[in-house]
Amino acid sequence: MIYHYSSVDSTNTIAARMAALGAGHGTVVHADRQTGGRGRAGREFVSPEGGLYFSLVLIPALDSADFPLITLAAGVGLCQAIFQIAQLNVQLKWPNDLYIADRKLGGILTESGPYRRNSCPEYVIVGVGINVTTEPAQFPSSLRSRVISLYHGRKCSLEVETLLHALVDGVLSSVQKLAVNRQFLLADWQSLDYLQGRELEYDGAEGKTFATGCGLAPDGRYIVRTRDGAEHHILAGDINPVRLKFPEQPV
Ligand code: BTN
């Protein structure tokens, strides 16, 4: 079942409310824009018209250890669906961002319902925001050089409903793949890894730390190698490519 709204605060909030009232696996809440879109770590997710914003209710039959991998599985499903439908190669920036050409195309916010006695949540909400025809001017100036949309500057050749169905099916089948064989799913994720082999910076125990991206650990953490040769398995936080800093004005 798909519920469509022209404007909501956050599709994740509405989907969670529906799931708490008994909405089933596969229920979708879709909106043309959001006034209170949320990203990871409590950040705002700017959601103007031209983007695709949806939240999917999942009641997956997974081992408790696999629940933290749902965001990774969703990312794989989205990349595969976008490739099939628009022939575009999207990469995944751990843990939840979709990237094209070094810019953010979209993101995933996974939120869990209350936990049962078996250590699994009653439901999971996978929220997805993708810039489809959004123009840079629709974003705050601080984000304009960092975002991209699927059909940037071109006419969208797909109906929004067609794209939505493809993305929802992509997420559902990828989460199913996680249930059947997590190794295959993690291998698929590795092939889409945006950070692999790049020079990175992240906030480590001793402040800003520089490292090289080394891929995914079996438990879904991200492995980096710092300049002293040590490997670190990152559980949470932001890992970003080191950006070359050019002076604003030629000197
Ligand atoms: C991120 O960039 O940190 C994740 C962004 C996730 C945004 C989607 S849009 C649909 C759903 N509703 C929300 O409020 N957030 C997610």
Side-chain angles (χ1 to χ4, degrees):
M1 184 78 184
I2 297 182
Y3 297 89
H4 174 256
Y5 300 87
S6 53
S7 179
V8 296
D9 59 346
S10 160
T11 55
N12 262 32
T13 303
I14 295 178
R17 221 175 278 149
M18 289 181 176
L21 292 172
H25 184 76
T27 301
V28 175
V29 177
H30 166 220
D32 299 333
R33 55 190 285 267
Q34 299 183 116
T35 53
R38 300 196 301 275
R40 198 166 56 86
R43 294 182 193 129
E44 180 189 8
F45 186 76
V46 181
S47 313
E49 267 185 48
L52 180 55
Y53 313 105
F54 71 91
S55 299
L56 175 60
V57 177
L58 297 179
I59 307 177
L62 290 175
D63 289 342
S64 57
D66 288 338
F67 275 85
L69 305 181
I70 288 178
T71 303
L72 303 178
V76 169
L78 294 169
C79 289
Q80 292 175 341
I82 292 170
F83 183 76
Q84 277 172 17
I85 205 160
Q87 292 74 52
L88 285 167
N89 285 305
V90 180
Q91 289 187 293
L92 294 169
K93 177 174 170 291
W94 186 91
N96 69 322
D97 286 337
L98 282 77
Y99 264 57
I100 291 184
D102 295 318
R103 288 167 186 239
K104 180 160 168 165
L105 174 75
I108 304 163
L109 177 66
T110 303
E111 296 179 311
S112 297
Y115 277 71
R116 295 184 291 226
R117 285 213 188 98
N118 63 358
S119 313
C120 295
E122 281 172 20
Y123 56 83
V124 172
I125 307 298
V126 174
V128 176
I130 307 265
N131 307 322
V132 180
T133 55
T134 340
E135 294 294 333
Q138 292 176 268
F139 291 92
S141 54
S142 57
L143 296 179
R144 282 178 202 159
S145 64
R146 293 170 184 263
V147 293
I148 194 165
S149 58
L150 269 186
Y151 291 95
H152 172 69
R154 288 175 290 147
K155 191 174 157 0
C156 178
S157 57
L158 291 168
E159 293 289 327
V160 172
E161 283 70 26
T162 309
L163 189 56
L164 174 65
H165 277 102
L167 297 179
V168 168
D169 289 349
V171 174
L172 287 172
S173 60
S174 199
V175 171
Q176 181 58 25
K177 197 165 181 180
L178 172 62
V180 173
N181 191 327
R182 79 146 54 184
Q183 304 310 330
F184 284 176
L185 191 275
L186 293 178
D188 283 348
W189 196 96
Q190 299 269 24
S191 69
L192 299 164
D193 183 359
Y194 170 71
L195 298 176
Q196 172 84 42
R198 289 181 193 259
E199 286 303 302
L200 309 173
E201 57 186 1
Y202 68 100
D203 287 329
E206 283 144 25
K208 185 175 275 198
T209 306
F210 294 95
T212 305
C214 297
L216 208 56
D219 61 0
R221 295 183 197 214
Y222 197 78
I223 306 171
V224 298
R225 186 172 299 108
T226 44
R227 289 175 180 172
D228 59 4
E231 262 190 13
H232 301 265
H233 291 212
I234 311 292
L235 175 61
D238 294 316
I239 311 176
N240 286 306
V242 176
R243 286 179 191 270
L244 293 175
K245 292 193 177 58
F246 297 107
E248 296 284 318
Q249 302 286 331
V251 286

